[in-house]
Amino acid sequence: MTLTTRFLAGCTLALAAMLPTAYAQAAGYPDRPIRLIVPTSPGSTADVVARVVAEHLGKTLSQPLIVENLAGAAGIPGTRQLVSAKPDGYTLAIVSSNHAINPSLYKSMPYDSVKDITPISVIGTTPLVMVVAENSPYRSVGDLLAAARAQPGKINYGSSGNGSVLHLAGELFKSKAGVNMMHIPYRGGNALITDVMSGQIQVAFLAVPSVLAQVQAGKLHALAVSTPERVAALPDVPTLDESGVKGYAYDAWISLIGPAKLPPDIVRTLQAATQRTMADSAVLKTLTPQGFVSQGSSTETAVQTLNAEITKSQALVKAAAVTAE
């Protein structure tokens, strides 16, 4: 091979290596609005977070994200829309802890919670807070534990439904604390909050953003938070571990996902934009005071989180013999 031939061959190989990158840049993703499915009802914690993230992520990507709520059945119908979408980056979804719980809860699922999606980034986590009515006789976790041990099965706790993250938080509490309490499932959180305030439901685990205003206004009394460390929005409320339930740690997480086989270059673009968005001061100023803990994780962390949460949920569902409603 002559020097000229070798030079031309080298140029050809270099050009070939550059084609995928050049094509990705030429494609100009995104060049039109992105559909963002939120498989929960308007006003839910995931929905509130999704709308803040959508606004600012849209600015980062220079294209609007159109939020579409497809609520019902623990997020399954909405997620089914996501997994059936074309993997071109123009249909994404915000999913929460139920996505990892559902495989253990339902005997039959219309999709695989791992194989049929592409995790992009963990947007952040939502601490839970254990609350009682403001006039409740239980002023601390110790008070509640003493009553629960004196009257096994007499104290009730509410959740947003069988197998929900709020239900499993309660089951983990029962297991860690060695107490028996009666579970009262609701269909959603609004009625549950009302009944906790009235004292009809004696105790409940609820997402901090959903009850922060009521706690601050003195309508609910916070006993403890579910995370290993105290929550910035409720600095005076101890953790369950501090309160004597050693090793207790449980919170809800929210992730950005796409359909399976989402091209790696699009995943990288979305992850980088999400990471930048979740570090944005305007986003932090809006979400942090509500109790949301911003992340914007790597894609690898998003994959690891999903797998770990599925394993954890399997153990909780099995131990508590939880069934779908």
Side-chain angles (χ1 to χ4, degrees):
M1 181 181 291
T2 66
L3 180 61
T4 301
T5 303
R6 286 197 299 270
F7 174 78
L8 291 174
C11 289
T12 300
L13 289 172
L15 180 60
M18 291 172 61
L19 281 175
T21 303
Y23 176 79
Q25 293 171 342
Y29 173 82
D31 61 5
R32 63 179 188 271
I34 297 170
R35 178 191 185 198
L36 182 64
I37 296 172
V38 180
T40 60
S41 58
S44 64
T45 299
D47 175 66
V48 171
V49 172
R51 290 180 184 277
V52 173
V53 172
E55 177 187 353
H56 292 275
L57 183 57
K59 292 177 182 177
T60 303
L61 292 169
S62 300
Q63 288 293 337
L65 273 71
I66 311 302
V67 176
E68 181 179 351
N69 293 94
L70 295 173
I76 294 173
T79 307
R80 187 175 187 178
Q81 287 271 330
L82 178 278
V83 302
S84 63
K86 184 178 179 181
D88 57 5
Y90 290 99
T91 301
L92 306 173
I94 294 285
V95 293
S96 56
S97 298
N98 278 342
H99 185 79
I101 298 170
N102 289 339
S104 301
L105 197 61
Y106 295 92
K107 293 180 180 179
S108 177
M109 292 273 290
Y111 54 83
D112 188 298
S113 293
V114 176
K115 295 179 181 178
D116 291 337
I117 71 159
T118 299
I120 297 167
S121 178
V122 178
I123 289 174
T125 59
T126 302
L128 308 180
V129 59
M130 193 180 205
V131 294
V132 295
E134 182 54 35
N135 62 356
S136 169
Y138 313 128
R139 308 313 294 169
S140 68
V141 173
D143 292 342
L144 178 68
L145 290 176
R149 288 165 180 157
Q151 297 179 309
K154 296 296 183 181
I155 294 176
N156 65 43
Y157 76 98
S159 82
S160 53
N162 283 334
S164 66
V165 64
L166 305 183
H167 181 195
L168 296 191
E171 291 299 323
L172 181 61
F173 173 79
K174 288 166 54 180
S175 174
K176 289 282 188 183
V179 295
N180 181 22
M181 300 192 304
M182 181 185 301
H183 174 230
I184 309 294
Y186 280 67
R187 291 189 178 276
N190 291 335
L192 170 60
I193 293 171
T194 298
D195 283 355
V196 175
M197 287 193 294
S198 71
Q200 184 172 331
I201 293 295
Q202 292 165 283
V203 64
F205 282 91
L206 291 161
V208 169
S210 69
V211 291
L212 184 60
Q214 290 90 336
V215 171
Q216 292 174 334
K219 296 179 180 179
L220 286 171
H221 177 64
L223 298 181
V225 293
S226 67
T227 44
E229 298 179 353
R230 294 197 181 195
V231 175
L234 294 170
D236 297 327
V237 179
T239 67
L240 277 162
D241 185 83
E242 287 180 275
S243 303
V245 187
K246 295 301 180 182
Y248 189 99
Y250 198 81
D251 57 12
W253 52 269
I254 298 176
S255 282
L256 179 67
I257 66 171
K261 300 180 181 179
L262 197 61
D265 58 331
I266 291 179
V267 173
R268 286 192 293 270
T269 295
L270 290 169
Q271 187 280 326
T274 302
Q275 185 174 30
R276 178 179 172 185
T277 297
M278 299 316 298
D280 187 285
S281 59
V283 173
L284 295 173
K285 185 177 180 180
T286 301
L287 295 179
T288 302
Q290 298 182 46
F292 186 75
V293 180
S294 178
Q295 283 192 21
S297 78
S298 67
T299 297
E300 291 76 14
T301 295
V303 172
Q304 292 166 4
T305 297
L306 176 58
N307 291 331
E309 289 292 319
I310 287 176
T311 299
K312 181 171 72 175
S313 297
Q314 285 173 340
L316 282 172
V317 168
K318 183 177 180 180
V322 177
T323 59
E325 294 174 297

